[in-house]
């Protein structure tokens, strides 16, 4: 079932005490929307966050993982490790992972497989760069990112996939895609899924928008029919702002 989701990607922010303080602030907020709420702290804070939110509806999710189950991969964390501390959802393919850590469609396909094999849910990110949009190439770029990393999957796998369209030019820049640009791309993404897997799957998948979503623009973006929520960076680091976005539905 298609759900509204708001996920806070904390990126490489917040040590332990800041994590505890932010979670304590988050717990004081009132939720008035039906959105599923998630936060993605860094690896070192996943367990304390999980413990602190055990009785809460806010889900703690990971920002990344490796595709191997275990072995000689210094510095990496596996799906099994995440699951062992109760984490059931992982963000994969964020543009910062692609840009700074050489993640490719091929390596992401392996990560997606590993997550699904461990019964985890995946928030799969993709999006074009400014140069792509300037030459009208955004749909081709997005279509290829989705096809190359996800189209080897059986239709059934999509019940555990959430898509997150994050145009690179809108991330951390204060510049958002207009609600119309977001809607157009989300409708295109749904039609791409429809062509491969059929309308039932396409209609069922939640597609989040990410890129400078703030309390003052969330309502308009979320009002679009194919936008099912947001992946929030900067504004997820303040509890009031984050919940203003959660409650923007
Ligand atoms: P900002 O909300 O800071 O633009 O970040 C978006 C993002 O990258 C979420 O994953």
């Amino acid at each position: 079932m298609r759900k509204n989701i708001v996920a806070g990607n904390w990126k490489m922010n917040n040590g332990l005490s800041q994590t505890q303080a932010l979670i304590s602030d988050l717990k004081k907020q009132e939720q008035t929307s039906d959105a599923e709420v998630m936060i993605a702290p860094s690896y070192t804070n996943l367990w304390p966050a999980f413990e602190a939110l055990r009785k809460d509806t806010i889900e703690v999710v990971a920002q990344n993982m490796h595709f191997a189950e275990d072995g000689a991969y210094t510095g990496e964390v596996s799906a099994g490790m995440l699951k062992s501390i109760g984490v059931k959802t992982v963000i994969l393919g964020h543009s910062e992972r692609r840009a700074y850590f050489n993640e490719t469609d091929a390596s992401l396909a392996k990560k997606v497989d590993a997550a699904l094999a461990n019964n985890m849910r995946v928030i799969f990110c993709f999006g074009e760069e400014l140069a792509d949009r300037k030459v009208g190439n955004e749909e081709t770029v997005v279509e290829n990112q989705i096809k190359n990393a996800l189209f080897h999957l059986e239709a059934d796998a999509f019940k555990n996939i959430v898509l997150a369209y994050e145009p690179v030019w809108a991330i951390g820049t204060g510049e958002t895609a207009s609600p119309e640009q977001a809607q157009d791309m989300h409708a295109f993404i749904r039609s791409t899924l429809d062509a491969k897997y059929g309308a039932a799957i396409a209609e069922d998948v939640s597609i989040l928008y990410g890129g400078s979503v703030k309390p003052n623009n969330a309502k308009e973006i979320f009002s679009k029919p194919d936008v099912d929520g947001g992946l929030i960076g900067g504004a997820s680091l303040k509890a009031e702002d984050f919940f203003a976005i959660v409650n923007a539905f």
Side-chain angles (χ1 to χ4, degrees):
M1 242 278 286
R2 190 156 145 196
K3 296 176 200 132
N4 291 329
I5 298 172
V6 178
N9 176 8
W10 290 8
K11 308 191 179 183
M12 198 173 74
N13 293 294
N14 293 331
L16 179 59
S17 59
Q18 291 153 311
T19 296
Q20 287 163 333
L22 180 48
I23 287 176
S24 147
D25 284 349
L26 289 169
K27 286 167 111 173
K28 290 181 199 139
Q29 306 300 312
E30 196 196 344
Q31 184 171 350
T32 55
S33 72
D34 67 347
E36 263 187 59
V37 183
M38 305 174 186
I39 56 164
S42 61
Y43 284 140
T44 55
N45 292 309
L46 285 172
W47 173 244
F50 186 80
E51 285 262 282
L53 290 166
R54 223 177 243 290
K55 295 197 184 75
D56 205 281
T57 52
I58 300 176
E59 185 185 346
V60 177
V61 314
Q63 296 177 18
N64 179 37
M65 55 166 246
H66 196 267
F67 50 74
E69 198 48 57
D70 48 38
Y73 297 98
T74 302
E76 292 292 329
V77 167
S78 70
M81 290 170 182
L82 295 174
K83 282 200 73 184
S84 74
I85 61 160
V87 173
K88 299 194 186 86
T89 301
V90 61
I91 298 172
L92 293 176
H94 193 280
S95 65
E96 288 148 17
R97 300 289 322 164
R98 294 175 189 258
Y100 308 140
F101 303 98
N102 304 318
E103 297 208 356
T104 61
D105 291 344
S107 66
L108 287 167
K110 291 206 252 179
K111 290 188 176 200
V112 169
D113 288 346
L116 296 178
N118 279 277
N119 295 316
M120 291 183 76
R121 180 160 61 157
V122 172
I123 301 176
F124 183 74
C125 307
F126 51 86
E128 83 284 0
E129 304 204 15
L130 187 57
D132 302 316
R133 188 164 275 269
K134 277 194 168 151
V135 296
N137 231 1
E138 64 273 16
E139 289 188 348
T140 310
V141 168
V142 161
E143 184 175 7
N144 284 334
Q145 287 171 323
I146 293 173
K147 279 186 175 168
N148 294 340
L150 300 180
F151 273 15
H152 62 288
L153 298 172
E154 302 285 341
D156 195 44
F158 279 81
K159 63 179 189 293
N160 285 319
I161 303 265
V162 171
L163 299 178
Y165 169 57
E166 297 206 302
V168 178
W169 49 271
I171 295 177
T173 58
E175 189 171 342
T176 10
S178 68
E180 292 69 32
Q181 283 173 321
Q183 168 57 28
D184 286 352
M185 184 58 88
H186 284 220
F188 171 75
I189 294 161
R190 232 179 267 291
S191 72
T192 303
L193 285 179
D194 185 345
K196 167 81 177 169
Y197 293 104
I201 300 286
E203 283 303 315
D204 236 33
V205 170
S206 295
I207 308 177
L208 315 185
Y209 168 79
S212 299
V213 178
K214 307 287 178 200
N216 65 3
N217 60 23
K219 202 178 183 74
E220 217 187 330
I221 296 171
F222 293 173
S223 71
K224 295 295 176 193
D226 287 301
V227 179
D228 307 309
L231 189 52
I232 319 300
S236 73
L237 299 174
K238 277 179 78 182
E240 297 78 18
D241 287 356
F242 186 55
F243 265 79
I245 295 169
V246 168
N247 291 332
F249 281 102

